[in-house]
Every structure is written in C-alpha cells, then in structure tokens.
Amino acid sequence: ILTPYIDNDRLIIFKPAETRGPVAAAGVSDPSAFADALKADSWSKIKVNGETAYAPEGAREFSPCLFIEGKTVFLVATRSDMRNLRLSLKSADSDNYLTKVPKPLLPAESELTFFASLPDNDNELICIKAQTDPSNNSISFRAIITESGSDKSGEPIEMSFLKPLESDSIPGLSELPGGYSLRGVFGIPSGINWKARADIADGALDTRSLGLLQSLLPYMSRLDGPLAVGIGPFDFSNMTADRLEAQTIYVCATFQPGKAAEVVNEINGNLREKGLDPRPGANGIYAFNLNGTSYRYVSRGNEFLFAQNREINDKWDSDIEIDPKTTGSLTLMLPPLRSIIPDAPSNNSISASLKMTSKEINLTITCTSGSPLVALPTYFESISTALRNFDLSNEDYFDTY
C-alpha cells in the first residue's frame, strides 16, 4: 500500500555513529498522500520530542517509527533514534559521504552501492557494488578498499589480510566435501593481529560463538599458509541444528614450522585437564567421542588436520577450483528445498561463490528461480517453520502419552 509513493531511485540505508540502529531514507513523490496511506495501513500519528512521526498501532518506545521531512521519509529503529538522527544530519552538513566517496564510485542510476568507513582509519573506505542478473537469477557483489576523498580515483588498493595461495595443489583440498556443502581455502599470512579482528567481530557474535572464537585465538596466531575448511554434506538434521556439534567438519591448517605438533600437544593437555585421555591410533590420529560427537586430529609436518563427525583421510569429490593468484575461495551449495522438506512451497536450490584477490572480493549468489534476495530468506524461513512444526508435533505426542 506504501510502495506507489516510494521513489526506488532514491533509497539509502546507513548507520550513523549517533544512532542505535540503521536508518533507511527514501524519496516520496507525494508526502501528503504518503501520510494518508500510512494511516490507512494502521500506522498511528505520534509525537516524539515535539515532532510528528508515525508508528505501527500498538508500537512501544523501542519500536521502529518513521517521519517525513520535505520529500524524504526516514525510518529509524527506535523513537529515541529520531533525536540521534537529527544530531547526525546536523553534523553531516559539514562532514558527509559526498566528501569521502571518490566521485567515480558514486552510485549510478538504479545501482546498489554500500560504503563503510574502516575502524580507526579515515583515509580508507570500503566500497561494495551490487549488480543483479534477472536472466540468471543471480546477484553479484564486488568489494574493494579505496582511498577516501571525493578527489580520489576510486581505484582499489592492496588488501594485506590474506596472501596468494600460489599453488592449486593445496594440502587437504581432496578431503573437502563435494556436492551440497560449504568449502573454502584461504591464504593466511603470519603476523595477523587476530585479537584485534576478534574485537571487531565482538558485537556481531552471540556469547557462545564469541567464546569459541576466543578459545581459538592462541592457535590462530601461529597460522602461516593455506587454510582449507569444509562443512557438510548438508541434510535436514544439520541444517536445522543450532549446535556446532551437529555439523560434519574438516579443517586442514598450515602452521609456522614446528607449531602444528605443538598445537596437538596443547589440545591433549587441555583434554586431559577435562578428564579425557586422548591416545593416537596406529595411524597416529588422535580420536575420541564426546556426547555423541566424534573428533579426530593429527599433525603432519606443518599441517594440522581436524575432523568432526567424519574420518581424516576420507577422499571426497570436491569440485572447488583454486586459482593460484587468488588469496581465498569459498563455495556454498544448498540442496533443493523439497529434498529437505517434501511439502516446501518451492524447490529452490541456492549456490554462492566467493573469490578473493589482493585487490578485490567478488561474491555471486544464484538460485534456481526468482531473486536471491527473496529466495534466501524464504529458504531458511521454510526450514525454520518445518522445525517449529516438528517440535510442536513432538510436544503433542508427549502430551498425549
């Protein structure tokens, strides 16, 4: 009901430092008619700090609301963000992205572009451009880091957080899963400040994921070379699980000389402190089971191999292709939806391919039908719905008996 009044060519989403959440701004062709349409769509007129705003009926203080200014409508995450947004807009009069974004990178008509400042670095800018291809049911993203400033060229600058893979003969590559799975290879340089990167990720991770990351930091600081990771094959049980222990995982990590064996000794010590007694088999591979999950690990030269819910040395038909000039490569393939949920509303299958070089990152997401922007959330919502229904049916069963 609101769509006819929105100017899709003037749509911006941004996150000011002053607001709690992101802000969406769009042009409106007829502000008065748009306000009437809001009321017809059950939005109520409210007062926030003396200003007129609109919120869904029954909304509370921390619910989203929007306000109209001239021919622009602003949507904020909470009512308190209206005041914060005002502060941001005032500061933007003298310091805004038009002064930071190189002119060649400014969005063209109907082009979707994202910009982000680097933490503690006003001289560089992240730029991500998106392009859709309806004929191929795909959307592509290209990300670069460039110099900040409207007078700059907009050309990418070197990204040093990964190093070239240098060879298509990567240790562990043949053991990555094929088919419907996630598999990737990255060139990890030594000397990365992993703690600083973990601090950046702090706000985006839940408590458990953050705890896992913190526990891995001592080992990650000794990485130096290719890192191969595989998760899968995927099925209903592991795609709907909220426990990492339900996944089938394989890792082959290259460490600094002498550090892989050191890591194995440290893991053994940690496990013995917890009352476990890891012992190597005839093949030198340590193996133990815990709460129904199997674990395998071993060091071979500078490589550390880890497997969860599978064996080390299992050969898979992985179809990941490695370009020695790249610094990283990632492939994701999700199975047709009805192979997981027979009565799903669609049978979409989704794939994603990520390629990284020293100057750019390219990501392409493709689905068998429709737009990936619609297919992705629909895919996972269908799985979540099926899981909720499954849980409810189990509750009914136990209530009956």
Side-chain angles (χ1 to χ4, degrees), residues 168 170 172-185 228-231 233 250 310 314-322 329-333:
D168 56 4
I170 303 295
L173 197 64
S174 63
E175 297 187 43
L176 295 182
Y180 300 118
S181 62
L182 174 72
R183 57 262 189 202
V185 184
V229 180
I231 303 177
Y250 174 82
R310 57 166 283 183
D314 281 355
K315 299 299 181 183
W316 297 68
D317 184 22
S318 178
D319 54 0
I320 187 170
E321 295 181 1
I322 302 299
S329 179
L330 187 75
T331 300
L332 169 68
M333 289 187 66

Side-chain angles (χ1 to χ4, degrees), residues 287-360:
F288 70 95
N289 294 339
L290 182 63
N291 298 326
T293 302
S294 70
Y295 300 91
R296 309 286 186 264
Y297 59 95
V298 68
S299 66
R300 293 174 178 167
N302 294 332
E303 295 157 19
F304 170 78
L305 287 76
F306 169 84
Q308 176 178 293
N309 293 327
R310 57 166 283 183
E311 298 299 325
I312 290 175
N313 295 333
D314 281 355
K315 299 299 181 183
W316 297 68
D317 184 22
S318 178
D319 54 0
I320 187 170
E321 295 181 1
I322 302 299
D323 181 346
K325 297 177 183 177
T326 62
T327 58
S329 179
L330 187 75
T331 300
L332 169 68
M333 289 187 66
L334 299 177
L337 192 52
R338 286 182 184 149
S339 69
I340 303 172
I341 309 167
D343 59 349
S346 75
N347 198 33
N348 234 333
S349 178
I350 298 171
S351 63
S353 174
L354 177 77
K355 298 290 183 184
M356 307 173 71
T357 70
S358 61
K359 288 194 173 183
E360 64 182 45

Side-chain angles (χ1 to χ4, degrees), residues 258-280:
K259 299 299 182 182
E262 194 177 272
V263 166
V264 168
N265 290 334
E266 290 179 18
I267 292 174
N268 289 338
N270 292 336
L271 291 174
R272 289 181 182 120
E273 287 181 4
K274 298 180 186 301
L276 297 170
D277 186 24
R279 294 178 180 273

Side-chain angles (χ1 to χ4, degrees), residues 99-123:
T99 66
K100 297 180 181 295
V101 176
K103 289 183 179 178
L105 295 181
L106 287 173
E109 184 176 351
S110 300
E111 184 179 53
L112 185 60
T113 308
F114 306 88
F115 297 104
S117 301
L118 287 171
D120 304 319
N121 187 348
D122 287 336
N123 297 320

